[in-house]
Amino acid sequence: IRDHGGLDSERLVQVDVRGKAPDKLLFDAYARQGTISPDGKKVLFVREGKNLLYRKGYRGPKASQVWLYDIAAKKFESILREDTGARTPMWRSDGSGFYYVGAKSGSFNLWEKSLVNGEEKQLTFFEDDSVILPRISRNGRTIVFRYQFDFYRLHPASEEPPQKIDLWCE
């Protein structure tokens, strides 16, 4: 946002983790929630849906969408556009697909989508409220997310339901 004003000002920037090279604009188009593929050649990101994190039941043209950017080819592809929204993409560890939060089932739940054959699979089945703010482990074996006022862990490769994480503070 720092270099662009107005509507849709968010951009994705490559940052040198050693701090030796200047930040580099990945592409000059609005984007949020970018995540680089395991091989470093592609980026999943979100367009639209700004300020709709908690807006359950929204349907329409401003619903969040997942896009794919091929870094070498400098090509964009819309890969997930639902009128109920799709957001927070997280790569599978092998790069063959990704996990995301989508509301096709009525509430925002975790889903998995294959980039090979386009198949989708619902991973969580909450009905009264939504999955928010998921994060995937570095090895891709665990997704942690918030549901209502609790945190849960899910192992997407297993068929087991998500497990609530008990947090205690003394």
Side-chain angles (χ1 to χ4, degrees):
I1 296 174
R2 67 182 181 212
D3 297 328
H4 297 82
L7 292 171
D8 300 324
S9 60
E10 297 158 303
R11 302 290 191 270
L12 298 180
V13 177
Q14 281 183 303
V15 177
D16 180 3
V17 295
R18 295 165 298 180
K20 297 185 182 216
D23 295 350
K24 176 182 166 192
L25 193 63
L26 189 59
F27 51 80
D28 191 13
Y30 74 97
R32 295 180 296 110
Q33 300 177 353
T35 179
I36 298 174
S37 63
D39 65 6
K41 296 179 179 180
K42 297 180 179 176
V43 177
L44 286 169
F45 64 94
V46 173
R47 283 189 167 160
E48 305 298 347
K50 191 173 181 181
N51 301 323
L52 297 179
L53 179 61
Y54 300 102
R55 192 168 172 190
K56 183 178 173 183
Y58 175 81
R59 291 179 176 272
K62 286 301 224 176
S64 49
Q65 311 159 9
V66 177
W67 286 66
L68 180 71
Y69 179 69
D70 184 313
I71 296 171
K74 297 184 190 254
K75 255 177 91 174
F76 294 92
E77 181 183 357
S78 173
I79 57 172
L80 192 54
R81 185 180 290 221
E82 303 283 342
D83 66 346
T84 54
R87 58 176 160 247
T88 322
M90 301 169 288
W91 285 98
R92 288 184 49 160
S93 59
D94 64 1
S96 68
F98 63 97
Y99 307 102
Y100 70 96
V101 177
K104 293 187 259 211
S105 62
S107 290
F108 283 98
N109 277 288
L110 280 171
W111 291 75
E112 180 178 9
K113 182 175 177 77
S114 169
L115 289 174
V116 177
N117 59 20
E119 288 182 8
E120 292 187 73
K121 177 182 175 186
Q122 188 172 349
L123 302 176
T124 61
F125 297 87
F126 297 109
E127 295 177 2
D128 57 339
D129 209 347
S130 300
V131 167
I132 62 170
L133 306 172
R135 296 297 180 260
I136 194 164
S137 62
R138 189 179 304 258
N139 64 12
R141 294 185 186 144
T142 305
I143 297 174
V144 174
F145 61 89
R146 195 177 115 196
Y147 169 72
Q148 295 183 336
F149 295 103
D150 296 308
F151 288 95
Y152 286 79
R153 113 177 24 92
L154 174 72
H155 301 291
S158 79
E159 295 296 320
E160 301 207 8
Q163 301 295 314
K164 184 177 169 187
I165 301 170
D166 289 323
L167 300 174
W168 295 90
C169 178
E170 292 187 26

